[in-house]
Amino acid sequence: MLISLKDVAGTELLVGSDLGQVVYGRLYKLLSGIKPCEPVKISFADVAFIDATFIRESVSNLIKIMSPARSICIVHVKDRDQEDNLQYVANTEVPMTAWLDNGRCRIFGELLSNGLQAMLEQIGFNGALTTPAAASRTAVSISNASSTLKRLYDMGYIGRTGSKGETGGIEYTYHAVGYDVQTGLGVSP
């Protein structure tokens, strides 16, 4: 589901806590009516200006309440100002995944340890990885990769899907929020 933040707000100038709270209420009501398994893309398309206070009151609060049960990402991030505002909010609130207009995935959030950051960068670069593939790409043991990926998932930085493994247990594929594991594609408009 693609949601235009401009359309939900009714304006291209997204500023302040009052408007942010109104938009949060509208988004929450809209998302409460759809299945949790359907990924949600909140679009910054055609937004002339968006400030950090608005992001905190609307998008960040929505992600905080609905994640990790619901996969929510931000799309159509067009400039450095929008990226800076997302980073500012994510440092103190909740991690957020954004797909930039150049097709690149960027995960915003607090500074992480070197091991967590290295794993997160591999997920962002590759889109999705199984635990053995992540271990290979970061030169750590499968056990270490498994615990690192689970921690990133629990912290809200990445998503995961499970399938029946060869040994009968669940095998997880960890992915950037908004990445389609079935098609191998990042967010499309």
Side-chain angles (χ1 to χ4, degrees):
M1 167 178 252
L2 180 65
I3 300 170
S4 166
L5 210 49
K6 178 188 163 208
D7 291 348
V8 172
T11 180
E12 62 184 18
L13 299 173
L14 306 180
V15 295
S17 62
D18 290 343
L19 181 59
Q21 290 170 6
V22 168
V23 169
Y24 165 80
R26 292 174 183 167
L27 289 169
Y28 186 86
K29 185 177 179 181
L30 183 65
L31 295 184
S32 295
I34 64 170
K35 294 182 220 174
C37 60
E38 185 177 349
V40 175
K41 304 165 194 167
I42 298 176
S43 175
F44 279 23
D46 301 320
V47 169
F49 182 79
I50 187 167
D51 73 0
T53 302
F54 177 88
I55 293 170
R56 182 189 70 236
E57 295 296 335
S58 59
V59 179
S60 176
N61 281 341
L62 186 74
I63 292 171
K64 193 184 310 181
I65 297 296
M66 296 198 158
S67 290
R70 181 176 295 283
S71 177
I72 301 172
C73 68
I74 302 158
V75 297
H76 307 125
V77 176
K78 66 179 180 185
D79 61 41
R80 185 69 183 171
D81 287 338
Q82 290 180 351
E83 289 183 55
D84 287 346
N85 285 331
L86 284 167
Q87 183 61 55
Y88 178 77
V89 173
N91 280 344
T92 59
E93 296 290 323
V94 63
M96 293 182 271
T97 301
W99 291 84
L100 310 181
D101 272 353
N102 64 9
R104 189 172 57 94
C105 174
R106 178 155 177 214
I107 303 168
F108 297 92
E110 64 183 278
L111 293 175
L112 300 171
S113 69
N114 290 342
L116 289 170
Q117 187 64 40
M119 190 67 72
L120 188 59
E121 287 171 4
Q122 285 300 314
I123 294 291
F125 180 75
N126 291 286
L129 292 172
T130 61
T131 302
S136 172
R137 284 178 171 78
T138 56
V140 298
S141 69
I142 291 177
S143 173
N144 185 315
S146 178
S147 62
T148 302
L149 289 164
K150 183 178 182 324
R151 185 160 178 222
L152 287 169
Y153 171 76
D154 289 342
M155 293 170 74
Y157 279 91
I158 59 176
R160 73 178 181 190
T161 56
S163 61
K164 188 173 181 179
E166 292 179 16
T167 61
I170 297 175
E171 183 175 289
Y172 290 109
T173 298
Y174 292 89
H175 57 86
V177 176
Y179 184 85
D180 188 330
V181 177
Q182 299 299 322
T183 64
L185 299 174
V187 169
S188 58

